[in-house]
Amino acid sequence: MEYKYTESMVSLLSAAEEFLAGSAEKKNTGGIPEVSVGDVLDKLTVPNENPVVISAEVRCPYAKNKDAKVKVMASALSGDERNGGLGLRETDIKLVPNTFGVCKLFMGPCLPAILGSRWNGCDGGNLIGGQPSVNMSSYMICSIGGLITLKTNGQRAGNAKKEYVTLEMLQNAPSLNAWAYKPVDTYDVKTSLPEYGEIRKYTQEDVDEINRVLEKYEINTPERIAQFLAQCAVESEAGRLPLEQYDGDDIFAYFKKYEVGQRAIDLGNTEEGDGAKYRGGGAIQITGRAAYTAFSEYMDDPKILEDGALYVGQEYFGESAGYYWSVFKPESANDDRFNLNKKCDENAGVYEITGIINSGYEGYPEREKYYDYYIGQLNESWENDD
């Protein structure tokens, strides 16, 4: 059954939920409940202007797992940078993971259905991409039942942006490729061929983008960053290969290998030409229709699926790698065997991480060299910050 709400019912629902929670807590400690509906309504009407950004966490009173970390995502194309990430807008309602686990109302998997496909209680005086911005007083109404409210605003402590890596760090790797950028200027979807611009050295703007990706996808410790950069450096030749390369004169014939047998099934390639269209793209070379479909939905950008690798290599070089590392690969299993950040926290070696990224272990010795360089640089940087 779907429940329909009016705006006046929202306050009553929230008040009742908090009242019951407060009463239960007092009862458990032997005290007398002191929560009043008036107190709760007063709290609801007090504006909270703290801006909410991507990766803010939300809660639902009917989630069986109260410890589930459910985060909100924004479209990178429409958001703007706040303290710690892209600001959330009224229509940014995508939850990652898109579940709270089990819903206590009907004891089944949580499948949120947000009424109106929008947040309520947004700030119309603070627009992002022409839309009211989300603040800590905002809430979403689930048609199944329950009020989805914010637990955290997703911001970092402090006002300065975190600089995980520096331009000097990326340019001074001895005996290894310094990071460079080979832009995809234009491309032809029909031929699946790009036209590249001239390779250039990395700039501070490029480094800022890397740091944004690291922050967004919680690749935020020396071990995580060193492993991530080492994999990206080999997969994309430190930025020189925004797209997977091919041999011969016929790109479609070369990537036909991605359209047959178990490999096609694993990659989700179902149509002729999928091999070339969804070949490796971005810093970590995401591959296959399944990965591009998931990334397109995640970024709320249909052109990712429409144009495939060409578009990702042009517009989402770093973003696609962060997404693959922290979202797509971990969610491709029913356990933690592909949780790359967790693997790093458990001190998995470069060999194990490489096997998850590249089952053929191609370029493993180079990945090891990059890792050794980056972990040394990052550990020194972390120590100097302390």
Side-chain angles (χ1 to χ4, degrees), residues 156-321:
R156 293 187 294 265
N159 295 318
K161 296 179 182 179
K162 177 67 177 178
E163 187 178 52
Y164 294 105
V165 299
T166 65
L167 182 59
E168 182 181 19
M169 190 183 299
L170 297 178
Q171 295 290 13
N172 294 342
S175 73
L176 298 168
N177 278 332
W179 279 83
Y181 185 64
K182 185 178 182 180
V184 178
D185 284 350
T186 61
Y187 59 79
D188 186 331
V189 176
K190 291 182 179 179
T191 63
S192 200
L193 296 175
E195 289 188 13
Y196 293 107
E198 291 186 8
I199 295 177
R200 60 168 176 77
K201 292 182 178 180
Y202 253 43
T203 66
Q204 185 58 49
E205 185 177 351
D206 298 322
V207 177
D208 290 343
E209 170 63 9
I210 290 178
N211 283 317
R212 182 193 69 80
V213 169
L214 296 175
E215 176 75 14
K216 175 177 176 178
Y217 292 100
E218 298 184 347
I219 309 169
N220 52 14
T221 68
E223 185 67 23
R224 293 180 182 186
I225 297 168
Q227 294 276 15
F228 176 75
L229 289 178
Q231 297 298 325
C232 290
V234 173
E235 290 288 320
S236 68
E237 286 193 8
R240 292 163 177 79
L241 296 181
L243 298 170
E244 185 177 359
Q245 299 299 287
Y246 68 99
D247 293 327
D249 297 326
D250 190 338
I251 187 173
F252 294 101
Y254 181 83
F255 287 111
K256 193 73 175 178
K257 61 187 179 182
Y258 291 158
E259 299 175 25
V260 295
Q262 187 60 45
R263 205 170 192 182
I265 294 173
D266 293 341
L267 293 172
N269 289 335
T270 57
E271 299 179 15
E272 185 176 355
D274 277 359
K277 183 175 184 179
Y278 301 118
R279 63 190 185 274
I284 221 162
Q285 304 274 287
I286 66 170
T287 308
R289 176 183 282 272
Y292 281 86
T293 299
F295 186 43
S296 177
E297 293 174 351
Y298 180 87
M299 295 303 300
D300 192 23
D301 185 356
K303 199 170 182 181
I304 292 172
L305 186 60
E306 292 168 2
D307 290 5
L310 295 164
Y311 180 60
V312 167
Q314 182 185 70
E315 298 293 337
Y316 289 111
F317 178 75
E319 184 85 36
S320 60

Side-chain angles (χ1 to χ4, degrees), residues 35-247:
V35 180
S36 70
V37 171
D39 290 339
V40 174
L41 290 176
D42 287 342
K43 181 179 177 182
L44 283 173
T45 57
V46 174
N48 187 328
E49 301 303 331
N50 290 336
V52 174
V53 301
I54 194 168
S55 293
E57 293 183 15
V58 294
R59 63 166 68 88
C60 175
Y62 297 117
K64 189 172 183 179
N65 179 10
K66 294 298 182 183
D67 297 323
K69 288 191 174 183
V70 181
K71 298 183 179 183
V72 189
M73 302 309 300
S75 168
L77 298 179
S78 303
D80 67 352
E81 184 73 20
R82 301 298 173 91
N83 177 32
L86 298 172
L88 290 173
R89 307 160 301 157
E90 185 179 48
T91 57
D92 289 322
I93 63 171
K94 183 175 178 62
L95 304 179
V96 180
N98 191 24
T99 176
F100 288 91
V102 174
C103 176
K104 293 192 294 186
L105 279 179
F106 61 92
M107 293 309 294
C110 172
L111 299 172
I114 307 305
L115 284 179
S117 298
R118 66 181 180 90
W119 286 85
N120 295 273
C122 295
D123 185 356
N126 187 359
L127 301 181
I128 299 176
Q131 293 187 25
S133 60
V134 176
N135 58 52
M136 287 299 289
S137 297
S138 303
Y139 56 89
M140 293 187 284
I141 306 169
C142 178
S143 63
I144 304 299
L147 205 65
I148 298 174
T149 56
L150 285 148
K151 290 168 59 178
T152 69
N153 62 18
Q155 292 196 30
R156 293 187 294 265
N159 295 318
K161 296 179 182 179
K162 177 67 177 178
E163 187 178 52
Y164 294 105
V165 299
T166 65
L167 182 59
E168 182 181 19
M169 190 183 299
L170 297 178
Q171 295 290 13
N172 294 342
S175 73
L176 298 168
N177 278 332
W179 279 83
Y181 185 64
K182 185 178 182 180
V184 178
D185 284 350
T186 61
Y187 59 79
D188 186 331
V189 176
K190 291 182 179 179
T191 63
S192 200
L193 296 175
E195 289 188 13
Y196 293 107
E198 291 186 8
I199 295 177
R200 60 168 176 77
K201 292 182 178 180
Y202 253 43
T203 66
Q204 185 58 49
E205 185 177 351
D206 298 322
V207 177
D208 290 343
E209 170 63 9
I210 290 178
N211 283 317
R212 182 193 69 80
V213 169
L214 296 175
E215 176 75 14
K216 175 177 176 178
Y217 292 100
E218 298 184 347
I219 309 169
N220 52 14
T221 68
E223 185 67 23
R224 293 180 182 186
I225 297 168
Q227 294 276 15
F228 176 75
L229 289 178
Q231 297 298 325
C232 290
V234 173
E235 290 288 320
S236 68
E237 286 193 8
R240 292 163 177 79
L241 296 181
L243 298 170
E244 185 177 359
Q245 299 299 287
Y246 68 99
D247 293 327

